Amino acid sequence: MGPLESLSAIRESGIVAVMRKMEVDTCIRVAEALLEGGIRVLEITVDAPRAAEMIYSVSQALQGEALVGAGTVLDPEAAVAAIQAGAAFIFSPCLDPEVIQTANRYGRVAIPGVMTPTEMVQAASAGAPAVKLFPASVLGPGFIKQVNAPLPHIPVIPTGGVDERNAAEFIRAGAMAVGIGGSLLKDSVERGAFHEITQRARSLVERVLEARA
């Protein structure tokens, strides 16, 4: 899948599920639970020792049924390692033009973290097709509504503090999609209650669809 197709898949999904610091087998089970609940874009953060293995294993296990990418990518080296493991997209909590250039060089989508209109424009100028508003809870949905007026050509994906209570509000404000992790998984991973993850995923998908309608 090329960068335009990946971006389209993220837009269509409306939800990017963030999976952080898990064992490989657990990561696969969580990914399957999320997919069963209707979430088809999965971000595996690279701040774990076996992150590349997780990206590869989940990609293989889901066999193209979900778009799997990397998150918390801080430098070009981490981007290359994630891409070589099979990451279809690269999310960063910060803006680094070299990470964007690296992803573009390998035909992947790079979505850097931003917090100001200036950073949004800098990210777009560096080649990013969308930006990650982080931490989104600090600025809130109103920021997206306001910034969309002068910068409607830069899609925004709020992440950080997004949960089932405010996800729809971010979508209605103009967000292309939302990134959500801890509030979606909660303590269900530790307890092995993967059915709860599926239920939350299904509920979140419904809320996003209603907000778009």
Side-chain angles (χ1 to χ4, degrees), residues 19-147:
M19 304 162 63
R20 186 180 299 277
K21 294 183 178 180
M22 302 176 187
E23 294 297 324
V24 175
D25 291 344
T26 301
C27 192
I28 293 174
R29 293 197 65 184
V30 170
E32 292 172 340
L34 290 167
L35 180 61
E36 186 177 349
I39 296 180
R40 298 183 177 278
V41 180
L42 310 176
E43 172 191 331
I44 299 174
T45 64
V46 300
D47 55 349
R50 301 173 66 186
E53 184 180 351
M54 282 188 279
I55 293 170
Y56 176 80
S57 298
V58 170
S59 298
Q60 292 296 306
L62 300 187
Q63 290 294 316
E65 293 186 62
L67 191 70
V68 181
T72 318
V73 177
L74 301 179
D75 50 58
E77 292 77 15
V80 170
I83 291 167
Q84 289 177 339
F89 58 84
I90 300 293
F91 270 90
S92 302
C94 55
L95 172 57
D96 184 339
E98 290 188 10
V99 171
I100 299 171
Q101 292 165 7
T102 299
N104 287 341
R105 185 177 301 124
Y106 287 93
R108 300 296 193 275
V109 172
I111 303 177
V114 301
M115 207 176 180
T116 68
T118 298
E119 289 180 330
M120 291 174 65
V121 172
Q122 290 174 339
S125 297
V131 296
K132 166 183 170 178
L133 182 65
F134 178 81
S137 59
V138 174
L139 296 173
F143 175 86
I144 296 176
K145 185 175 181 179
Q146 293 295 322
V147 83

